[in-house]
Amino acid sequence: MSPAESSNSSAPGPVVSLRHGTYEDAQALFSGTLFVAMALMLFNQAGLLIGSTAGMAFLLHYVTDISFGKLFFVVNLPFYWFAWTRMGRVFTLKTFVSVALLSLFPHVMQVSYINPLFASLLGGLLLGTGCLFLARHRSSLGGATIVSLYMQNRYGVRAGKVQLAIDCVVLLLALFVVPLERVFYSVLAAVVMGVFLWISHR
């Protein structure tokens, strides 16, 4: 083999930019939101919390007894302006659809019992997987996820790092609402999710 051939054989191939079609986007939005809904159902049954706007909605749900779906939808409303101005119209519309779906999904699933440790581990992985699906198809579940994706796109800070930091702040507030043991399991779930996104989302 000549030097030229050897050089060509070791050269990297062309970078291909993949574009997702409408069907692929719809499938990812539905699947990602369903994964997250399953995680929230597990957390609700085990009495756990998560960060971001979902965590705030959970805190308000535990305090006021208003349904999580309604609170989650309302809490996310202020973040749509940020998404529209910083992330674009397509991202905002997809996020709106994902949040609306998530507001409906928890009402159709129920588990009679689940160990809180298992709920935190499985729920964290389900959350990370669902958010990864949505992020790769230019969508999110609002709130801190919008901010974390913006920080990654704009400043190169890993979305998982930003998400984990925000989630921990929200979970600290939970110390005033739920038992310490549940807060510990909730923090564990946030760490599992954050590490998953840290490693998997680039």
Side-chain angles (χ1 to χ4, degrees):
M1 180 180 293
S2 68
E5 291 174 332
S6 176
S7 175
N8 289 337
S9 64
S10 61
V15 177
V16 179
S17 177
L18 298 178
R19 292 181 177 273
H20 299 292
T22 302
Y23 173 77
E24 293 171 320
D25 283 341
Q27 180 182 3
L29 263 60
F30 180 84
S31 301
T33 306
L34 186 58
F35 270 56
V36 174
M38 291 172 64
L40 297 185
M41 179 267 297
L42 297 179
F43 288 163
N44 187 44
Q45 180 61 40
L48 306 185
L49 292 150
I50 58 174
S52 190
T53 48
M56 294 302 299
F58 261 127
L59 285 175
L60 293 173
H61 167 65
Y62 291 145
V63 172
T64 65
D65 206 30
I66 300 175
S67 71
F68 168 82
K70 293 178 181 178
L71 290 170
F72 182 67
F73 187 83
V74 172
V75 169
N76 271 291
L77 291 177
F79 290 92
Y80 291 128
W81 176 84
F82 181 87
W84 187 277
T85 57
R86 302 301 177 92
M87 304 294 285
R89 180 180 62 181
V90 173
F91 176 87
T92 306
L93 293 176
K94 288 181 179 180
T95 296
F96 185 86
V97 171
S98 298
V99 171
L101 284 174
L102 188 59
S103 299
L104 299 175
F105 277 151
H107 298 289
V108 298
M109 293 181 290
Q110 185 176 2
V111 172
S112 59
Y113 170 78
I114 184 169
N115 182 279
L117 175 60
F118 182 75
S120 65
L121 296 175
L122 178 58
L125 290 174
L126 287 172
L127 278 173
T129 303
C131 289
L132 185 62
F133 281 1
L134 297 174
R136 289 182 173 174
H137 287 260
R138 297 194 62 199
S139 181
S140 76
L141 291 172
T145 308
I146 295 175
V147 177
S148 63
L149 291 175
Y150 172 75
M151 293 293 291
Q152 175 166 296
N153 295 337
R154 182 68 176 82
Y155 300 105
V157 181
R158 286 287 186 90
K161 291 182 179 181
V162 180
Q163 186 77 43
L164 182 58
I166 296 174
D167 288 352
C168 288
V169 171
V170 174
L171 290 172
L172 285 176
L173 298 176
L175 290 171
F176 302 97
V177 180
V178 298
L180 180 61
E181 178 189 7
R182 303 298 178 179
V183 175
F184 169 77
Y185 287 127
S186 300
V187 171
L188 177 60
V191 171
V192 171
M193 174 189 175
V195 171
F196 179 87
L197 288 175
W198 189 345
I199 295 174
S200 303
H201 185 53
R202 300 177 182 274

